[in-house]
Structures are given as C-alpha cells and as structure tokens.
Amino acid sequence: MKTYEDSYSVAVVQASPVYMNVDASVDKALGLIAEAARQGARLIAFPELYFPGYPWFLWIGDIPYMAPFITAYHRQSMSTDSPQFQRLQQAAREHNIYLSFSFSEKESATLYISQALIDDQGNTIEVRRKLKPTSVERLLFGEGDGSDLKVHRTALGNIGELCCGEHLQPLSCYALHAQNEQIHIAAWPAFSINGFYSLSGEVNTAVSQGYAAEGQCYLLFACAVVSVQEVEHYCVNNDMRKVLLPGGGYARIYGPDGRLLTSPLAKDEEGLLFARVDLSSITMCKFLYDPAGHYSRPDATRLLLDPDCRRAVVTLSEHQEGAEPAECSDRDEIIPVDR
C-alpha cells in the first residue's frame, strides 16, 4: 500500500451521457478524464448510471411504452469484463488518475445499479451495487447486499461510494461513517423529474451537505444533465414533457465541515468542478463530532451490519455439507479500514 497523499485535487462531472449508447458515452467520458488529469486531478467522479445513461423512461410511461426501451437498455449495459469497462480501466492507468463511475451492470439476465472504483494503475478496487433501487427503478434493476457497504483504504485515503437515494437511508450512511470514510463519492442522476419535491436538487444537495457534515468527510456530488435530445427521445407526448425536464445539473463538492468548496455550474451546463482535498482538515471536524467514535452511544443505539454476500444458489460438495457460503470473491475483496 502506498503512503497516503494528504493533499490533492479532485474533479466532479456534471454532464449528460450519450443516451442509450454505451460506446459513445465511454468516448465522452475519456475526454472528461483526460481533461481532469490535465488540470491535475487525482480522482474524478461520474454521475449515477452514466453508462449508458439514466433510464428516464421508467418515470414517464407504462409497460407497453417501456418494453422497447428495456430491451435496448439491456443491450447497452456493460459487464465488468466488457471492452467498455476495460477502456475505462486503461484510461485511469494512462492518465494516472483514480476513477469512480456508476453504470448499469449486466450479470446474466439481471441488471444492477453499480459503482466502480478504479485506481490510478487501472486496477478495480470495488464494484458495488445499490442495495435498493429507488421506486420505479425496481422494475429494471436487482438489489445489492451488505457486502456493498464498504470503505476502501487507498493511497488517497479511505474512499466510500453510494448512489442517489441511498443517501436517504441513515443506516447505510452510518455503515460507511463507522469505517472512517474520508472521501465519499455520491453519484446522482439529473434532478429532472417534475412533481416530486423530494426528488428535487434543492432537497438532495441538502442531504449531501448533511452527509459531509455528519460523516466529517469530503463529499464529491457527481450529477448528470438531461439534454434536450434525451427529452425528445423519451417523450412521445406533451404530458411526458411536463414530467421529464431538461437540465437538472446540481454537481457540488463539500468539505468535511459541510462547506461548499466550489461555485456550481448552471443547471443546464456541462463541465467539471475541481476542489482541493486536505485530509488533515478532517481532524478538527472529528474533534467536534465523530458519530461512530467519541460521539457515539453504543449502549443506547447500535447498527447491525451483515457484510456477507448473498447468492441465490450456493453449491456445496459432499464434504462441504453444512459449510458457510463463500464470500463474493468474484466481485470484490473485503479490505479492512484502520481507524
């Protein structure tokens, strides 16, 4: 393990993917990665389901309307051994940059809302899955489990990831706080669904700012933008156009005291946000509040976390009968985090 880098620059993406086109979205992402590296960033974070784009059709139509989009979305989703995934690993290695991205992960016939963390040598540190897809996302995506709530020790510090509405699940958030998370990557789609204030950018930037202050960690809030082309692609009538709106970009970077570290982009603007991380600044924040340390009350309240991977089928040989199921070694390795 390399020595920690105490101070470095990070980048957060606010941009639309090339909707329903994973290869073109990777091409666009490679340009953003190169630009972030050129400006000195050691880590870049992408929005939720940037590859192949967020499935907005789930929010605006019925099953007959969705059916062709569902088929196309499966076709454009990628696996962890796909050429598209390997291109992203190669980009991290070529530009000497850590890479966090969210993608529709295809395993057999099931899709998952996943996040990958790649180091600056192109090695996969983690591929985690969203524990519970939000609302209508459950029509399309499967669920993760307790093995997807990990913080990983890296040369940039202790890094954790969550997607979108997972930030409104206090127990999942606390599971990461308790692992001494220093850098948190929050992947969000655009805030473009009209009619639910709880899905608005105003609410969820507040949620993210609160996460940074509660966990005393840097929070990288990556967010997409809905393009006019996406609206026209998915909306076949004016009623749909009243629900799915263009824009919706709310990318932010927060410090461990909850402070906004960057000036936001316009809601319909694409680009990168940059900020400086200084891990030593976390010390005084933890001095005030450490929810899983000196500020905890385990005699009153405690979190029960099951970190094991759950598989639908576990095959045991005769001499293994009664043995415990194996961990998910095919997905990622449990890396302990020192406090």
Side-chain angles (χ1 to χ4, degrees), residues 109-218:
T110 297
L111 302 182
Y112 299 91
I113 300 174
S114 295
Q115 283 172 290
L117 181 62
I118 311 295
D119 72 12
D120 56 1
Q121 300 303 305
N123 302 309
T124 300
I125 297 173
E126 171 182 60
V127 175
R128 69 168 302 271
R129 293 168 177 171
K130 190 172 184 178
L131 268 69
K132 175 70 74 171
T134 302
S135 187
V136 296
E137 291 173 357
R138 295 171 208 162
L139 293 171
L140 187 60
F141 297 104
E143 299 180 343
D145 54 40
S147 68
D148 296 300
L149 291 174
K150 297 195 191 83
V151 171
H152 296 271
R153 189 177 359 161
T154 77
L156 301 184
N158 302 334
I159 300 178
E161 303 174 294
L162 290 175
C163 264
C164 191
E166 288 186 301
H167 295 89
L168 285 93
Q169 174 45 271
L171 300 183
S172 296
C173 297
Y174 191 75
L176 299 190
H177 297 338
Q179 296 175 63
N180 195 27
E181 186 182 36
Q182 295 169 305
I183 308 295
H184 179 74
I185 298 165
W188 296 85
F191 296 94
S192 294
I193 295 297
N194 187 29
F196 296 92
Y197 189 69
S198 58
L199 298 178
S200 69
E202 289 80 8
V203 167
N204 291 293
T205 51
V207 166
S208 297
Q209 185 178 31
Y211 186 105
E214 288 178 1
Q216 299 87 46
C217 59
Y218 285 88

Side-chain angles (χ1 to χ4, degrees), residues 32 36 120 156 181 246 285 333 339:
L32 293 166
D120 56 1
L156 301 184
E181 186 182 36
C285 297
E333 177 184 4
R339 288 202 56 85

Side-chain angles (χ1 to χ4, degrees), residues 85-96:
F85 195 95
Q86 292 168 0
R87 289 179 67 198
L88 292 163
Q89 290 175 306
Q90 182 179 356
R93 182 170 59 252
E94 287 180 355
H95 295 287
N96 194 38

